[in-house]
Amino acid sequence: MAQQQDELKYGAHHAHFEPPDTLVATFSGLINMDEVQRTAQLYKETFEKRGRFYCVADIGGSQIEAAGRKYLSNNSNAEWFHGLVYVGADVVQRTFGKAIALALHFTGKTGFETVFVPTLDEARAWVAQHRATRQRKAG
């Protein structure tokens, strides 16, 4: 993780930050435990550096084993996220994404939305709409 947070590549996966508040991570192939741990660390560092953020996770071309899903659930915090947007998830990935979000919901002091969309463009549109709604509510 020596690279700049704004653009990070590890294994077949990469992530970058899109101002003002969105981390876009693209996962390809099998996500091994080391990569899962790096992902959890990336989420934590993004929160520490920038505050709450939207996470857009393009997972359509990836797979994660049960131990990795459990690790993410146990080592992430609901307070880090405004929302979690999964891109390209199949039925199995949707089920596990919802399970992770539920686990984070029960362990966090704040809630966040988890949504599933087919494309990155739709993910960005959802984030923009959700951000605008949050800003209107805040005054």
Side-chain angles (χ1 to χ4, degrees):
M1 297 257 252
Q3 296 181 9
Q4 286 286 332
Q5 167 98 18
D6 295 333
E7 184 72 40
L8 177 68
K9 191 166 176 54
Y10 53 103
H13 322 296
H14 59 90
H16 66 275
F17 192 82
E18 295 180 1
D21 57 3
T22 305
L23 179 71
V24 178
T26 303
F27 299 95
S28 300
L30 181 63
I31 306 168
N32 67 37
M33 185 55 79
D34 179 57
E35 294 162 342
V36 168
Q37 292 168 341
R38 285 179 179 230
T39 299
Q41 184 65 29
L42 172 63
Y43 294 166
K44 180 180 180 184
E45 289 174 359
T46 300
F47 171 74
E48 290 171 347
K49 182 177 180 180
R50 302 182 183 272
R52 290 184 79 191
F53 63 98
Y54 291 97
C55 182
V56 173
D58 186 347
I59 62 170
S62 70
Q63 298 174 359
I64 185 171
E65 294 181 358
R69 290 189 298 271
K70 184 174 182 178
Y71 185 90
L72 274 178
S73 293
N74 292 336
N75 293 280
S76 297
N77 188 320
E79 294 176 6
W80 298 346
F81 306 101
H82 288 303
L84 184 53
V85 184
Y86 290 105
V87 178
D90 63 23
V91 173
V92 172
Q93 291 169 320
R94 285 176 184 246
T95 301
F96 292 125
K98 288 176 186 176
I100 290 171
L102 187 60
L104 289 175
H105 175 74
F106 285 125
T107 60
K109 294 180 181 132
T110 62
F112 64 94
E113 288 192 57
T114 301
V115 297
F116 300 88
V117 297
T119 68
L120 279 172
D121 286 342
E122 289 176 79
R124 287 184 178 100
W126 184 89
V127 167
Q129 181 181 12
H130 192 268
R131 182 185 303 120
T133 300
R134 266 190 29 256
Q135 290 171 343
R136 278 193 302 276
K137 287 180 182 177

